[in-house]
Amino acid sequence: MCGIVGILGTQPVAGNLVDALKRLEYRGYDSAGVSTVENGVLGRCRARGKLRNLQSRLEEMPLKGHAGIGHTRWATHGAPTETNAHPHMTDKVAVVHNGIIENFKSLRERLEKAGAHFETETDTEVIVHLISQALEAGAAPETAVQSALKELEGAFAIAIIFGGHDDLMIGARRGSPLAIGYGDREMYLGSDAIALAPFTDRVCYLEDGDCVTLTRTSVAIKDENGHPVDRKISQSQASAMLVDKGNHRHFMAKEIHEQPEVISHTLAHYVDLSRNRVEIPDFNIDFATLPRITISACGTAYYAGLVAKYWFERYARLPVEIDVASEMRYREAPMQPGGLALFISQSGETADTLATLRYCREQKQHIASVVNVRESTIARESDAILPTLAGPEIGVASTKAFTCQLTVLACLAIRAGCERGHISSDQEMELVGQLLEIPRHISRILHDEKLFEKIAHDLAHSRDVLYLGRGSSYPIALEGALKLKEISYIHAEGYAAGELKHGPIALIDEDVPVVVVAPRDELFDKTVSNMEEVAARGGQILLITDDGEAADSFSTASNFILPKAHSFTNPLLFAVPVQLLAYHTAVFMGTDVDQPRNLAKSVTVE
Ligand code: AGP
């Protein structure tokens, strides 16, 4: 989604604003802009496309102000043009916004009737005119902003500077994240701590409804009722170093290769390595008496939840309901009070997931969240936080966060099984031991990465690709299809292999590759039958399995033999080949692997 940054500095800020926006590029964008105020006069510079275009513009037309705001825009309302790029402004106020103003059409009509002249197609511009009209009516800046916020419906994080005020910046949030950065005689605003890391590690995340008025030496936060509040200042974990690609061509490649390391870090957080026991820090849910778990998430995080459903039901005999958050938030599902609602989110800011969390809170559920950003909104609204220690994930396509989510969920399922009397002490040690093997197994798969490059070239010429899996491999088939489609733009579908005969087999011919995710487990023979049905119709099969003999016994176009692991841990292992297939296909096709078209890293609007 959009990225926001603001600086009340002690020197010209335009360059620092752009540097901070670079740290938000991972969120996805299609235009960018900055605005500064110098001797009370507002200036602005914007450009379509990447930040380098904005930098070129600034070289031609430098902005000298020591206070300013910046924005990377991911177009929601209005085409990705320079005119629609933020900041939006009048001579009185400049605004940058992340979110969606749902009632902007009615507001725009009313404002135009009152004489406002709109320049853009965006929803954001109504904020500019609401504030400007209040200022013209004599309101002080903070009052003007408060009156504007009362009119807005929808989600926003905004940063505002004012004509005539060189030492004033106001920020507000409702549904989209916004953080204050505390500097030395400087103050900052940003969408997240990563943007602020070059300036400060003292960060305070605003709560929904908060509005903050900043000068270089003062911070005044008010809650949605206008009451002064204090919010906790924390030490940000975000590194001051620009997250870089190391010796990899893309962030996605780097993050795929980081998986052995970050899975190890995550395991160390949840496993007593001296006893091979699972220990979940700061988690007081009594699984023994828990009636059910409700899991909700979006995209790849949802597929991690689907895998966890198999684990909780098989190893803990615990009923699980799971749904994508965009459906769950509106379903009005009846929920027995006292259940556990578990949310999975890399960013911790996904609007649909957050909205579902709030619904489950109203339904008196215990709230736990598996998140990669501890300071995120979803984390802060949870009773229990289960962090993934994946480190910043920059590639829009989630990889290391996914396998770290699986790692956390596997530990949780073991804990649940132990507390509910379905996993003995010996079994716990064995399953934990299997988890501890995963980093080594993944390293071996990565060592054979070249195998995936060749196959990717074949996939790259496909129009449609089918992914099949059974049991806990079915969510991995879904994930593989998502990875391929979101970075290579090839249409791909994941299906439960047993569903093939109920329709999808009509798709099969020699032009539709079928990727089969099939460890040699109790369902393998059933899946072989499906593969035979595909082969009989000329379908090309790419088999991902852990049994070389099985693979040889079946004439496949290609197969990848993975290290033999335990059926419990196979989903973590089989996630890696489908990531590599998608990555190398996209590289071959020349798409923007780290920032695929139309996508954003964190979907903070619904
Ligand atoms: C994953 O590759 C996708 N980029 C997307 O589906 C993502 O998983 C989804 O938007 C959820 O994001 P979250 O984990 O930050 O909540």
Side-chain angles (χ1 to χ4, degrees), residues 298-301 345-347 350 396-398 482-483 486 603:
C298 298
T300 288
S345 176
Q346 187 285 131
S347 63
T350 299
V396 165
S398 189
L482 175 62
K483 284 280 123 3
E486 71 173 328
V603 184

Side-chain angles (χ1 to χ4, degrees), residues 120 170 475:
T120 79
I170 293 180

Side-chain angles (χ1 to χ4, degrees), residues 258-336:
E258 284 177 334
Q259 290 180 113
E261 178 191 0
V262 296
I263 289 171
S264 302
H265 291 168
T266 302
L267 281 169
H269 185 77
Y270 293 98
V271 168
D272 174 346
L273 298 170
S274 63
R275 300 187 304 127
N276 271 20
R277 291 272 191 272
V278 169
E279 297 202 345
I280 314 280
D282 307 322
F283 190 82
N284 304 312
I285 303 290
D286 176 11
F287 280 112
T289 58
L290 197 65
R292 74 166 42 236
I293 288 186
T294 300
I295 299 176
S296 194
C298 298
T300 288
Y302 170 70
Y303 299 143
L306 269 183
V307 173
K309 172 181 170 69
Y310 288 92
W311 286 335
F312 281 117
E313 292 181 342
R314 164 166 294 189
Y315 293 95
R317 313 306 298 155
L318 181 57
V320 176
E321 177 183 354
I322 181 168
D323 199 353
V324 288
S326 54
E327 288 299 310
M328 180 93 192
R329 70 180 289 187
Y330 294 115
R331 252 181 46 210
E332 296 184 14
M335 303 180 86
Q336 181 185 337

Side-chain angles (χ1 to χ4, degrees), residues 390-409:
E393 186 176 71
I394 306 303
V396 165
S398 189
T399 51
K400 63 177 182 174
F402 177 63
T403 48
C404 285
Q405 288 161 358
L406 291 178
T407 302
V408 176
L409 293 164

Side-chain angles (χ1 to χ4, degrees), residues 37 46 54 70 158 199 208-209 263 283 310 314 336 421 429 451-452 454 513:
V37 54
R46 299 177 293 176
L54 178 62
I158 54 177
F199 314 117
D208 261 1
I263 289 171
F283 190 82
Y310 288 92
R314 164 166 294 189
Q336 181 185 337
M429 290 176 70
L451 289 174
F452 296 94
K454 181 198 167 303

Side-chain angles (χ1 to χ4, degrees), residues 533-549:
E533 291 156 13
V534 168
R537 290 158 179 81
Q540 296 301 307
I541 294 168
L542 312 182
L543 174 59
I544 302 173
T545 185
D546 56 2
D547 185 319
E549 274 177 42

